[in-house]
Amino acid sequence: MALASRRAAALLLAIAALVSVLAVPAAAAGNKTGQVTVFWGRNKDEGTLREACDSGLYTMVIMSFLNVYGHGRYGLDLSGHPLAGIGDDIKHCQYIGVPVSLSIGGFGNEYSLPSKKAALDLFDYLWNAFLGGSKPGVHRPFGDAWLDGVDLFLEHGTAADRYDVLALELAKHNIRGGPGKPLHLTATPRCTFPPASYLKRAVDTGIFERIHVRIYADADCEAFWQPAWEKWTAAYPATRFYIGLTADQMTNGWWHPKNVYYGLGPFVQKADNYGGFMIWDRYYDKKYDYTSMVKPYA
């Protein structure tokens, strides 16, 4: 009798333990979306845009950078990639369901938007050179292919810069980014919150579809990214947030895939407006095969 009682009690304990396990979501399951955005265009040896899209790893590709603008001059830097053929690659990516955007800014010092006019001029150039417009005298580097969106990757600026004007003008054309598709407006800041005034004024418009919060190559972000992430996601609840990771194992702030699974993923996915992962960049991702290891946790 005592033996039967002990067996019954053990069975009940086992059932209770199983129920408790099933009732609690898996630590890394969370609010996963499977969305992964990658930056392409920073190294000629990363392969073609078509190859990146065909890898099956990414749900969006951002070309980088348009890094000269604001004073009547415009410059596109794709790190030596030949422009011939990129237009066809863009169309191919779009055909298989991978949108392609263009990031403006970058790490150089030849860009600014010091006035409302400069912002409107930049919009006019972007619209006619890369998006749904056309204008005599404005060269289209990718021919009749037009991109799916614009990203702000701003490493410097002043309080006078009017990225808010640019964002609002792009938003007016949101439903005309292409044939029956939206124009994606995104930003890729360092994790510091609040952001610099020139970016804050833009994102305060509330019209950014997504923000990629970079937590690498910055000592403060590496140490304090969690409270920064919570502030970003709370401040802009209508915007989707992507956590920005580096694929380069030699860059400070690199996350081992196992730590993405056990720590980073479950934390960022607690936010209701979590969107996915942003990977910097295609060259290092191809070299180290990083996204294939972390995408299941996105």
Side-chain angles (χ1 to χ4, degrees), residues 14 23 42 49 76 86 89 103 110 113 152 157 161 184-185 190 199 209 216 234 247 255-256 275 282 290 292:
R42 302 319 312 142
L49 177 63
L76 179 67
I86 291 182
D89 286 1
S103 189
E110 295 186 75
L113 281 186
L152 306 186
D161 284 329
H184 302 284
L185 183 58
R190 292 175 184 264
L199 178 59
E209 174 187 318
Y216 56 88
W255 278 74
H256 191 285
R282 170 61 180 165
Y290 189 65
S292 66

Side-chain angles (χ1 to χ4, degrees), residues 40-53:
W40 177 90
R42 302 319 312 142
N43 192 305
K44 189 177 180 180
D45 294 331
E46 68 196 333
T48 65
L49 177 63
R50 180 183 295 246
E51 179 186 46
C53 294

